[in-house]
Amino acid sequence: MTDTPLQIAGRQFTSRLMVGTGKFPSNESMKEALEASGAQIVTVALRRADLTGSHDPAANILDFIDPEKYLLLPNTSGATTAEEAVRLARLAAAAGLPNWIKLEIHPDAQYLMPDPIETLKAAEILVREGFTVLAKRLQEAGAAAVMPLGAPIGTNKGVLTRELINIIIEQAIVPVVVDAGLGAPSHAAEALEMGADAVLVNTAIAASGSPSAMAEAFALACRAGRMAYLSGLPAVSSQATATSPLTSFLH
């Protein structure tokens, strides 16, 4: 059984696990977890990064991420309007970061649900300006990947939106990355089994007792889920089906 690499905007990736960098107990812990995950795409909130080049010790997360090893995917977490998100993306590009952007606009601080109207506006602007945009439900605007929620951000509840994700996978012509709400390796495996192209995980790894071990567990789960999808899962039956003959073979 063979697999093809994950392709986003013409680039190939062998890992189907993307990892976020928030909530880790330390930058050193984050670095160890990234190495254990085998991830090739790492997302960083621009509001937490020092873009001045002064290596501010209070915002030095970029010093712990090797740009030769990982594709750094800046994200606009914290933006509440399209204007704010576009400004953050432009600042990142001006600071020398890749022109890839994970577009997030969350005006509701309690549930952190994306604003579809503002996200669409920002995506259209950034795509026109040459950014590679990864965002939720924005294939039509030129996004290089769509990133549906598994569950609300940081809840660790798993793939609650399974039926909606199935529809997105069926209709998408760009990679589908299940992002947010995955709280256990089994959730990542489930998403890949469904046919998602990749997952993005942060809280479940960063908030675990051993981030590096949990990162490795997620990496293994992604491999298992992808292999199961490629193998072809058997149909679900409402009735029991014997795996052995029911004849009286002992007589």
Side-chain angles (χ1 to χ4, degrees):
M1 182 173 56
T2 59
D3 193 7
T4 56
L6 170 64
Q7 294 197 43
I8 302 177
R11 290 189 59 167
Q12 293 188 348
F13 305 92
T14 55
S15 173
R16 295 179 181 273
L17 173 62
M18 305 177 189
V19 179
T21 53
K23 301 182 180 180
F24 283 91
S26 68
N27 285 334
E28 291 79 7
S29 173
M30 175 202 70
K31 183 178 179 180
E32 292 176 359
L34 294 183
E35 293 174 353
S37 73
Q40 295 168 296
I41 300 178
V42 175
T43 183
V44 177
L46 290 168
R47 291 184 178 274
R48 299 176 54 241
D50 173 23
L51 301 180
T52 66
S54 61
H55 300 284
D56 179 355
N60 65 341
I61 190 171
L62 296 179
D63 293 341
F64 290 81
I65 304 172
D66 184 354
E68 299 296 323
K69 187 173 183 179
Y70 307 104
L71 170 64
L72 194 62
L73 180 62
N75 74 62
T76 61
S77 176
T80 60
T81 65
E83 181 182 5
E84 290 180 3
V86 169
R87 183 166 63 250
L88 282 169
R90 289 170 176 167
L91 286 171
L97 296 181
N99 68 344
W100 289 52
I101 200 79
K102 181 175 183 282
L103 185 56
E104 300 183 36
I105 301 177
H106 303 126
D108 176 11
Q110 181 175 1
Y111 295 105
L112 298 177
M113 299 301 289
D115 184 317
I117 297 175
E118 291 296 298
T119 304
L120 175 60
K121 288 167 56 178
E124 290 174 337
I125 294 170
L126 293 172
V127 168
R128 284 199 303 267
E129 294 184 5
F131 284 86
T132 297
V133 178
L134 283 72
K136 297 174 176 62
R137 300 169 58 188
L138 291 175
Q139 175 176 281
E140 295 81 2
V146 293
M147 306 185 75
L149 294 167
I153 294 172
T155 61
N156 298 323
K157 291 184 175 181
V159 190
L160 298 185
T161 57
R162 183 182 179 93
E163 296 305 318
L164 295 176
I165 291 175
N166 274 328
I167 295 172
I168 293 171
I169 291 171
E170 180 182 342
Q171 297 183 347
I173 58 174
V174 296
V176 176
V177 182
V178 177
D179 172 29
L182 304 184
S186 57
H187 299 157
E190 179 182 359
L192 271 293
E193 287 172 4
M194 292 167 58
D197 296 282
V199 296
L200 196 157
V201 181
N202 188 170
T203 300
I205 294 175
S208 68
S210 175
S212 59
M214 186 62 75
E216 183 177 0
F218 267 95
L220 293 170
C222 287
R223 289 176 57 192
R226 179 66 177 176
M227 186 176 294
Y229 170 73
L230 293 174
S231 299
L233 294 170
V236 176
S237 174
S238 60
Q239 296 182 338
T241 304
T243 56
S244 301
L246 298 181
T247 57
S248 301
F249 63 89
L250 291 179
H251 298 286

